[in-house]
Amino acid sequence: MSGRPIKRSLTLKGHRTSVSLEDEFWKAFRAIAADKDMAINALAAEIDFNRDPEVGLASAIRVYILNWYRG
């Protein structure tokens, strides 16, 4: 397991942004998007829309993943 975050690009509302997540989180994020039959950018946009503006996108994605697997 590598604890180092990996930066990848996403497109939200037509704009490119980058998010740094550990590889394990990227794998889980892709798996959730596939389970929901969604593109990863669409899932990221949904998380972005619903997050508190005080919370960073990477943190919101991590919490979403945690809650998904807890549920």
Side-chain angles (χ1 to χ4, degrees):
M1 177 175 88
S2 168
R4 308 197 112 212
I6 299 168
K7 187 178 283 192
R8 293 201 171 87
S9 295
L10 296 170
T11 302
L12 303 175
K13 302 176 199 161
H15 295 93
R16 299 289 285 173
T17 189
S18 61
V19 176
S20 295
L21 296 172
E22 295 75 11
D23 194 45
E24 290 80 5
F25 279 105
W26 280 115
K27 289 175 185 173
F29 192 34
R30 283 191 203 100
I32 293 167
D35 284 349
K36 294 182 74 164
D37 197 29
M38 296 177 77
I40 197 164
N41 287 325
L43 181 55
E46 179 181 297
I47 294 167
D48 184 49
F49 178 80
N50 290 306
R51 74 181 166 97
D52 182 322
E54 298 294 318
V55 175
L57 181 57
S59 294
I61 291 171
R62 285 186 190 94
V63 170
Y64 183 91
I65 292 167
L66 177 63
N67 289 332
W68 174 269
Y69 285 107
R70 277 185 172 172

